[in-house]
Amino acid sequence: MYNLARPGTIEVIAGVMFSGKSEELLRRVRRALIARRRVQVFKSHLDERYGGIYRVSSHSGIEFEALPVDSAAEIMRQTRSDTELVAIDEAQFLNSEIVEVVGALAGRGIRVIVAGTDTDFRGEPFGYMGTLMAIAEQVDKLSAICVVCGDLACRNQRLVDGKPARYDSPTIQVGGSEAYEARCRRCHRVPRADEDQTALL
Ligand code: ADP
Ligand code: ZN
């Protein structure tokens, strides 16, 4: 049954990699479990960085697994009718339907928490995170620490074979090693084709 008495809400936790989005998401989930809310956690499984599924465990020993999903429609299909909180991690990888799905879930009275990286390695908007931030009741934008200078980091630095990735480098890297760092605006490097790549490696 949909609970029409209770208004749903959308909360977005945005920011760069390493800014603590997953930690904050899990903190909110843990507190909801303490409040005995019925919770479901989803995670885009296009994110393979940490080897897939994570678990959320409650103090009472109940373990929560994040359900891996590859589309927003799957979140809609898998959300049970009695669920009170839906948490979605790595939402930047989900297709445009995520906007509609999140709105529909909140419309049913569900508290929806969406976490994701809101800018890509170029510093440009990532997926539908910006739209989700616009339709949310609450937005928290977290920062990491720049690994070069120690200031607050608001950018994802992509490195391919230890060098800053070019603006037009393919999103999926074939061969070569790829890594990401948190950096501030000043230390962030995205060379264009004709630029020197040696500075701030
Ligand atoms: P996100 O989900 O935003 O990628 P996580 O919640 O997975 O972030 O991880 C946040 C944790 O990462 C921090 O609490 C800290 O321990 C660690 N960390 C590693 N590198 C950095 C960095 N450059 N800046 C801030 N935290 C970092
Ligand atoms: Zn810096």
Side-chain angles (χ1 to χ4, degrees):
M1 282 297 287
Y2 297 172
N3 183 350
L4 296 175
R6 186 166 37 86
T9 50
I10 302 170
E11 298 162 34
V12 172
I13 306 166
V16 288
M17 285 166 148
F18 307 108
S19 62
K21 299 181 299 297
S22 299
E23 278 174 1
E24 179 58 25
L25 182 89
L26 295 181
R27 190 182 80 91
R28 294 183 196 184
V29 164
R30 272 198 305 273
R31 289 164 64 90
L33 292 173
I34 291 168
R36 293 193 213 63
R37 298 287 182 260
R38 285 183 291 273
V39 174
Q40 279 185 272
V41 183
F42 297 98
K43 180 176 181 172
S44 158
H45 74 85
L46 296 175
D47 177 63
E48 301 292 341
R49 278 180 305 157
Y50 304 116
I53 300 168
Y54 58 41
R55 288 186 166 76
V56 188
S57 43
S58 75
H59 246 97
S60 51
I62 303 163
E63 263 203 334
F64 262 78
E65 273 194 0
L67 292 167
V69 289
D70 58 12
S71 72
E74 216 179 315
I75 295 175
M76 202 67 198
R77 272 197 300 277
Q78 301 229 36
T79 300
R80 294 185 290 267
S81 60
D82 63 349
T83 293
E84 295 165 290
L85 187 155
V86 167
I88 306 163
D89 202 7
E90 304 293 355
Q92 74 277 5
F93 294 123
L94 295 167
N95 51 2
S96 65
E97 274 178 295
I98 188 63
V99 178
E100 202 185 312
V101 165
V102 162
L105 294 175
R108 282 193 199 179
I110 294 175
R111 176 182 173 199
V112 186
I113 309 178
V114 185
T117 305
D118 54 346
T119 54
D120 63 15
F121 77 96
R122 303 178 184 93
E124 295 174 351
F126 203 149
Y128 289 85
M129 287 301 295
T131 310
L132 292 170
M133 288 160 87
I135 64 165
E137 272 88 353
Q138 183 190 326
V139 177
D140 289 284
K141 180 142 176 170
L142 309 181
S143 48
I145 300 297
C146 174
V147 297
V148 178
C149 76
D151 278 350
L152 292 180
C154 59
R155 292 285 180 268
N156 299 300
Q157 179 67 55
R158 182 183 191 197
L159 300 168
V160 175
D161 293 329
K163 297 196 185 88
R166 288 174 188 276
Y167 183 89
D168 57 2
S169 56
T171 308
I172 309 286
Q173 194 65 34
V174 182
S177 71
E178 188 181 37
Y180 285 90
E181 288 178 355
R183 291 195 187 181
C184 72
R185 188 186 290 277
R186 268 179 302 129
C187 300
H188 185 235
R189 293 289 178 273
V190 191
R192 303 278 174 159
D194 52 354
E195 277 180 285
D196 177 23
Q197 289 204 34
T198 53
L200 272 176
L201 293 183

